[in-house]
Amino acid sequence: MSEPMTIILAGGGTGGHLYPGVAVAQALKSVLPDAKCLFLCTTRSIDTTILQPTGFEFIPQSIVPPVKTISGLLKFWKTWRETRDQVRFLLKQRRPAVVCGLGGYAAGAAVKMAGGRGIASLLLNPDVIPGKANQFLFSSVRAICCQFPGTRGHIPALHQGKMRLTGCPIRADIAQLPPRAEAIERLGLDRKMRTLVITGASQGAATVNQAMLAAVGQLSLQGWQILHLAGQDHAATVRQGYREQQVEARIIDFTADMADVWACCDLAVSRAGAGSCAELAACGIASILLPYPYHKDMHQRANAQALAEAGGAVMVEDTKDARKTAAVLVPLLQELMVDSDRRLRLAQGAKSMGHPNAAAQVANIIAELASGR
């Protein structure tokens, strides 16, 4: 009896890298039912939190992100060599048919070494602007799965033939949301009220939290309730901020059940990570996007612009100053909370950008590569 086919999915460190990989692994059950998925992730606790409940096998890699200091670069180089040796052993032991890079530094060793050994490999590139790790890996892969058409302008001509416009994979439960009433009940919310969702993605976002705490006391919340996904490291501070302003809100540290969150959402204030944009678009949710302001290439800003240009979101710059950002957010939120027609137009614009079947499309590409086509 032959061993089951192995598909390696490499990457991690954030939900933005892992959730698309989980979606692809779930979709592979339909096209390669006998295949076994193995995640090569990081040692960050968020990876275990996300992957353990899925039942997929995962192995943490020792690799750490590069930091531009002497000690930081030395540590990166040391952990790169350790990860390279670990991956070399796993490629020999597991003999994967395909390696799928999920983006970021944790995908590097597996994809690079797979390409060098003639193992079919591909990349998920859901941001408009490819990150440095993905750019480094373009020459090692046979397909680059992208969410936005604008990515073509950021891929060298030599590799543009590899680009596949699949969208960003999202999990099946998000592509087909549960009934609103059931989601409201599970989250402990009031079904008679509209819901404003605030999220900084899986780990939360300090500047988003701070801006909303600066804004919320100035909002008229009649008929609205707040569901705030604060992040495990920030939740206590956020709860205290709402208490001090005597504003009721449902604060969640972290949830893997984003299908329930989006099912009850009437308006969102969100970061503009690729995964968040994909979910907002697939679910057709009106949103205000606050792109992460600290990346040099401002890739979240490019994501937000793509959604805004399609009429699917309003982009607000995160000034890193809570009061300045709140000064822009307050009138905008107040307008959107009373203007149901504008919320509907934004929701429709977002929906036009959605790729709810992205996971299946990427799974089909993996199946093609596995068959040698």
Side-chain angles (χ1 to χ4, degrees), residues 196 199 205 207-212 215 267-273 277 280 286-294 298-309 312-336 342 346:
L196 172 64
T199 175
T207 55
V208 171
N209 293 339
Q210 291 159 5
M212 284 307 305
L267 177 64
V269 176
S270 174
R271 276 289 191 237
C277 289
L280 290 165
S287 65
I288 299 170
L289 298 176
L290 290 169
Y292 183 74
Y294 297 101
M298 296 297 285
H299 64 263
Q300 284 201 13
R301 193 178 194 281
N303 296 344
Q305 278 184 319
L307 208 55
E309 288 170 1
V314 180
M315 184 176 72
V316 171
E317 297 288 355
D318 184 339
T319 66
K320 311 175 200 176
D321 181 312
R323 290 185 180 181
K324 288 181 180 179
T325 306
V328 179
L329 280 175
V330 169
L332 179 57
L333 274 168
Q334 207 66 75
E335 177 190 351
L336 287 171
R342 189 177 180 195
L346 288 171

Side-chain angles (χ1 to χ4, degrees), residues 209 213-214 216-217 234-247 251:
N209 293 339
L213 287 175
V216 73
H234 312 292
T237 301
V238 171
R239 287 191 179 95
Q240 180 61 28
Y242 279 102
R243 280 196 296 267
E244 289 175 355
Q245 299 189 69
Q246 298 182 328
V247 174
I251 315 298

Side-chain angles (χ1 to χ4, degrees), residues 99 108 110-116 118-123 134-143 159 162:
V99 173
V111 173
K112 193 71 176 175
M113 295 179 71
I119 299 170
S121 56
L122 71 157
L123 279 176
N134 275 8
Q135 293 178 42
F136 171 68
L137 297 172
F138 283 163
S139 61
S140 299
V141 301
R142 302 182 192 179
H159 301 300
K162 303 175 183 179

Side-chain angles (χ1 to χ4, degrees), residues 64-80:
V64 298
V67 178
K68 291 183 179 179
T69 63
I70 293 176
S71 61
L73 291 172
L74 286 173
K75 186 174 183 179
F76 171 74
W77 178 239
K78 176 178 180 292
T79 58
W80 169 268

